[in-house]
Amino acid sequence: MNRYFKAKVIENLSLNSSHNLLTLEPLDPAAEPNPGQFYMIEAGDSYDPLLKRPFCWLQKTRETIQFLFRIKGKGTSLMRAFKKGKVISVIGPLGNGYPLPRKKRTPLIVAGGTGIISLFSLINKLSHNCHVFYGARNKDELLLLNELEKLGNKLIVCTNDCSFGKEGMVNEVLSQFLSANESIKTSCLIYTCGPKPMLQEITSIAFHEGIRGYVSMEENMACGFGACQGCVVNTISGYKKVCKEGPVFPIEDIVWT
Amino acid sequence: MDLAVEIGSLKLKNPVMTASGTFGYGEEYSEFLDLNMLGAVVVKGISLKPMEGNPPPRICETPCGMLNAIGLHNIGLKRFLKEKLPYLRQFDTKIIVNILGNTIQEYVRLSKALDDAGVDAIELNVSCPNVKKGGIIFGTDKRALSRLVLKVKQSAGKRVIITKLSPNVSDITEFAIAAEESGSDALSLINTLRGMAIDIDTQKPKLANITGGLSGPAIKPIAIRMVWEASQSVRIPVIGIGGIINAQDAIEFMLAGATAIQVGTANFINPMATIEIIHGIRSYSEGKNIDNIRDIIGRIHGTAGHNNINL
Ligand SMILES: Cc1cc2nc3c(=O)[nH]c(=O)nc-3n(C[C@H](O)[C@H](O)[C@H](O)COP(=O)(O)OP(=O)(O)OC[C@H]3O[C@@H](n4cnc5c(N)ncnc54)[C@H](O)[C@@H]3O)c2cc1C
Ligand SMILES: Cc1cc2nc3c(=O)[nH]c(=O)nc-3n(C[C@H](O)[C@H](O)[C@H](O)COP(=O)(O)O)c2cc1C
Ligand code: FES
């Protein structure tokens, strides 16, 4: 099974002004991804943009792989225009993915913005109930709400401008939850993905509360499979490649700058 | 049809190699392609001691190219010999080791060790724009370059020595000639061009190192021109590098005077790029009834151009 494959666009649905749901059908047999793994996707047919873009998978069926992406710059703007039937090249699944928790641990899933996409496949896979904390800037930026509700976990949603759910940042909501549920601290495990400043806040909460966990990191990538050394983050044991040794790292390993 | 070419005493089954720093130590690509098919594998630059490289962000995309400031992040000579070389040896391809040092002494020690280990060729990286000390000084100072090549050649016995030239000079032919006169068996060019990009939102450079090396299709016309100039100024073989994405690009380099070529950034976008290029060169040759790929090397030399401009 080759991790470099061609795939056909089955559907490219615009969810709102800044997010699309892309469904691809691999033309060759594709490997089963783990939660938190990602794919490098070709964004255009020309040399500009040149590099593939990294995206986490959202859902996988026997025939298709689904992605949810935010329109950010040049590459994702071109991806938004992908038409049904277009064939693109893809590399993946890549990276390590989230290690599953042991039976007795309660997962606390903490997502900021598009971080929910990476964590969604994990929530989907977890057999035990978890707490999901999900924050976005405003109501329009919230993704996958119906799907998350259907999964039947405890879900706390917050927005910075109070346009939906609780008001505030997801790290504040997590802190409040932990002070109200002292007993959970010894038996929980954090999984987090989102913007850097938020991840840094979550790391410091985890540190102060003595909770362990995992964080999924983002860095610019050229290859996605460990060849260019371009995507490193600083860890307590030196620079590590996000695409290969990550994107998921033990939360206490990251050295924030 | 014969695709074989020679770089000094080194015989390659075809002219397609991987460019240093874009192909890891070979292993990273073995799931995508059959390494036996390649003319040669050039591995990531090796230094005497491991180097941890530059802080992130280390790369960013630019129009039709990318900037990198990896900073020669590598595992060092000892681990390379122990962990990576034995793996590469299983394959029927030539192994070329790219090396980098701060002093002539370091290059000499590296070359000796690699000569003893029996690698097929050594490529001297004198042109990395991303490390503060060493390397680049040899690439931009002709006398320093001559001394370096001479010393390495004296100590690494009969091993094929390739000098990888920096494009960040005003006249590439002076450096090509200096390397040849000091005994270099071949030249490879070009390494990346120094470049820079700024994020206008944060108003900060996009790379932590501020500047980086530009690679990819954006640099191809410059690389073609430099290969054309260098290959006419020396008798030793020139290996063409810079923005090669497909067979057409590779053939363009050979027509300009390259005996062989290296594929760099393209490997990131299409990990099978090298194999597709080999197939493409074969079909080009078939289409043009070329029996021997060596016949196209430097085909355009001596052409006066459309306007008879003298250079
Ligand atoms: C492991 C991983 C998984 C990701 N999963 C998703 C996902 O599921 N959904 C989603 O919407 N986004 C995801 N991202 C972010 C996504 O890759 C970027 O938003 C996208 O590359 C932007 O491309 P662009 O051309 O539109 O933006 P531009 O800003 O024009 O891109 C310029 C360059 O910077 C790189 N870049 C820009 N932002 C990022 C970023 N945040 N992370 C890494 N590289 C970046 C681009 O890849 C490109 O090389 C993920 C990033 C990583 C590293
Ligand atoms: C990420 C990256 C790392 C590189 N590392 C090295 C290196 O270690 N030694 C070296 O001589 N050249 C290095 N290079 C330069 C390439 O070998 C090549 O000369 C250059 O990228 C131009 O070719 P391209 O346009 O096909 O990529 C590196 C290039 C890139 C993009
Ligand atoms: S993106 Fe190339 S090593 Fe990670």
Side-chain angles (χ1 to χ4, degrees), chain A residues 38 51-56 68-70 72-77 114 117 217-221 247, chain B residues 61:
Chain A
F38 69 98
L51 303 172
K52 288 186 160 62
R53 293 341 195 206
F55 297 96
C56 290
L68 202 171
F69 66 93
R70 181 189 166 78
K72 182 175 184 249
K74 202 184 264 174
T76 45
S77 303
T114 47
I117 304 165
M217 302 294 289
E218 288 186 5
E219 255 308 322
N220 289 355
M221 294 184 174
Chain B
E61 195 185 55

Side-chain angles (χ1 to χ4, degrees), chain B residues 74-92:
Chain B
N74 81 90
I75 57 172
L77 176 68
K78 217 158 117 194
R79 280 187 59 197
F80 172 75
L81 293 177
K82 197 157 157 250
E83 296 167 24
K84 306 294 178 184
L85 190 57
Y87 173 82
L88 279 171
R89 281 236 168 83
Q90 316 165 53
F91 299 97
D92 175 27

Side-chain angles (χ1 to χ4, degrees), chain B:
Chain B
M1 156 133 23
D2 188 2
L3 290 189
V5 296
E6 286 173 17
I7 303 295
S9 57
L10 191 65
K11 293 186 174 40
L12 308 182
K13 63 176 87 165
N14 63 59
V16 179
M17 325 181 189
T18 63
S20 177
T22 65
F23 208 70
Y25 301 105
E27 288 166 312
E28 290 83 349
Y29 284 83
S30 57
E31 67 168 299
F32 300 117
L33 57 90
D34 179 3
L35 295 176
N36 294 307
M37 292 180 71
L38 298 172
V41 170
V42 185
V43 298
K44 174 72 188 164
I46 299 288
S47 48
L48 270 181
K49 293 264 152 20
M51 284 169 73
E52 65 165 10
N54 287 326
R58 289 179 172 183
I59 53 171
C60 78
E61 195 185 55
T62 56
C64 302
M66 62 177 279
L67 289 169
N68 90 79
I70 308 297
L72 272 306
H73 183 162
N74 81 90
I75 57 172
L77 176 68
K78 217 158 117 194
R79 280 187 59 197
F80 172 75
L81 293 177
K82 197 157 157 250
E83 296 167 24
K84 306 294 178 184
L85 190 57
Y87 173 82
L88 279 171
R89 281 236 168 83
Q90 316 165 53
F91 299 97
D92 175 27
T93 184
K94 302 295 178 193
I95 305 166
I96 303 180
V97 182
N98 180 280
I99 61 169
L100 173 109
N102 290 316
T103 59
I104 291 186
Q105 199 51 37
E106 284 182 21
Y107 279 99
V108 166
R109 283 176 59 193
L110 281 159
S111 330
K112 268 194 182 141
L114 291 164
D115 184 22
D116 290 344
V119 305
D120 295 296
I122 296 166
E123 182 177 60
L124 304 177
N125 179 3
V126 292
S127 44
C128 179
N130 299 322
V131 282
K132 299 255 148 38
K133 288 197 309 183
I136 191 76
I137 176 74
F138 299 106
T140 51
D141 175 339
K142 260 178 300 176
R143 288 227 300 261
L145 179 70
S146 295
R147 269 202 309 276
L148 173 69
V149 176
L150 209 63
K151 288 285 179 203
V152 167
K153 203 54 205 169
Q154 279 169 5
S155 56
K158 292 223 162 7
R159 205 57 61 187
V160 171
I161 302 295
I162 303 165
T163 307
K164 183 164 179 179
L165 297 180
S166 170
N168 301 306
V169 296
S170 49
D171 185 356
I172 195 91
T173 63
E174 292 179 3
F175 291 83
I177 292 166
E180 178 181 46
E181 285 175 347
S182 312
S184 190
D185 299 288
L187 304 173
S188 57
L189 62 146
I190 58 176
N191 206 315
T192 54
L193 288 140
R194 275 189 88 200
M196 184 169 163
I198 299 163
D199 183 326
I200 62 163
D201 285 328
T202 61
Q203 308 192 335
K204 287 192 181 134
K206 287 193 180 174
L207 299 178
N209 191 53
I210 302 176
T211 63
L214 182 63
S215 66
I219 71 169
K220 196 186 83 173
I222 301 173
I224 296 272
R225 185 263 296 172
M226 288 189 160
V227 164
W228 176 69
E229 287 176 347
S231 61
Q232 291 180 100
S233 66
V234 296
R235 286 158 181 276
I236 52 178
V238 170
I239 301 164
I241 323 167
I244 297 175
I245 297 281
N246 52 36
Q248 285 85 336
D249 298 330
I251 290 157
E252 201 178 333
F253 271 92
M254 295 189 78
L255 292 169
T259 299
I261 56 99
Q262 294 180 5
V263 181
T265 303
N267 294 310
F268 301 151
I269 306 152
N270 171 3
M272 287 166 67
T274 43
I275 303 301
E276 290 172 14
I277 290 170
I278 295 167
H279 291 318
I281 294 178
R282 187 167 285 126
S283 18
Y284 173 85
S285 308
E286 275 161 11
K288 290 238 183 261
N289 284 321
I290 298 163
D291 293 329
N292 191 326
I293 195 68
R294 295 188 290 280
D295 292 346
I296 73 163
I297 299 167
R299 252 290 155 84
I300 67 142
H301 289 178
T303 344
H306 295 304
N307 300 319
N308 279 325
I309 294 172
N310 264 326
L311 283 167

